[in-house]
């Protein structure tokens, strides 16, 4: 999945990442940050900043929901044509745009 950062300056892929997490505000900061961790060197890349941890959790859940989307068909006989439709699952290309803080 591709994620456009909150500041609209980076388009990051989750393909080479192994974690998206909420980090507490750093020293002298007040915002929680959603971070993407790279598998190879564990480099942290910021996706967006939020004043409330609850809002950061909502955004994290929205990313999970988008990543979980797929199209499926259980298969069966088409009532109009009488033809058999095999079962299938398709995974559409996925993108997510990080929302601004509320």
């Amino acid at each position: 999945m591709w994620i456009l950062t909150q500041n609209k300056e980076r388009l990051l892929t989750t393909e080479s990442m192994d974690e998206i997490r909420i980090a507490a505000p750093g020293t002298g900061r007040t915002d929680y940050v959603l971070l993407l961790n790279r598998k190879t060197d564990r480099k942290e890349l910021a996706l967006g900043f939020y004043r409330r941890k609850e809002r950061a959790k909502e955004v994290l859940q929205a990313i999970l929901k988008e990543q979980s989307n797929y199209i499926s068909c259980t298969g069966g006989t088409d009532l109009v044509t009488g033809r058999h439709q095999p079962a299938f699952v398709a995974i559409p290309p996925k993108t997510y745009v990080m929302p601004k803080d509320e």
Side-chain angles (χ1 to χ4, degrees), residues 6-24:
Q6 190 179 50
N7 64 7
K8 312 290 189 255
E9 293 181 1
R10 296 181 89 175
L11 189 60
L12 302 171
T13 180
T14 58
E15 296 279 325
S16 61
M17 305 296 168
D18 64 349
E19 179 184 45
I20 299 175
R21 68 184 181 88
I22 300 169

Side-chain angles (χ1 to χ4, degrees), residues 6-68:
Q6 190 179 50
N7 64 7
K8 312 290 189 255
E9 293 181 1
R10 296 181 89 175
L11 189 60
L12 302 171
T13 180
T14 58
E15 296 279 325
S16 61
M17 305 296 168
D18 64 349
E19 179 184 45
I20 299 175
R21 68 184 181 88
I22 300 169
T27 305
R29 304 278 185 163
T30 58
D31 291 341
Y32 289 87
V33 60
L34 276 173
L35 295 172
L36 205 58
N37 288 344
R38 193 161 51 197
K39 284 181 185 178
T40 54
D41 60 4
R42 302 292 297 159
K43 181 176 180 175
E44 295 177 332
L45 304 167
L47 296 174
F49 298 86
Y50 300 94
R51 287 179 302 230
R52 297 179 307 109
K53 188 173 185 177
E54 293 75 25
R55 175 66 176 141
K57 286 181 179 182
E58 290 170 1
V59 173
L60 186 60
Q61 290 172 5
I63 292 170
L64 176 63
K65 183 177 179 183
E66 183 61 33
Q67 179 62 27
S68 302

Side-chain angles (χ1 to χ4, degrees), residues 76-87:
T77 303
D78 185 299
L79 297 176
V80 176
T81 65
R83 293 183 178 169
H84 178 73
Q85 169 65 50

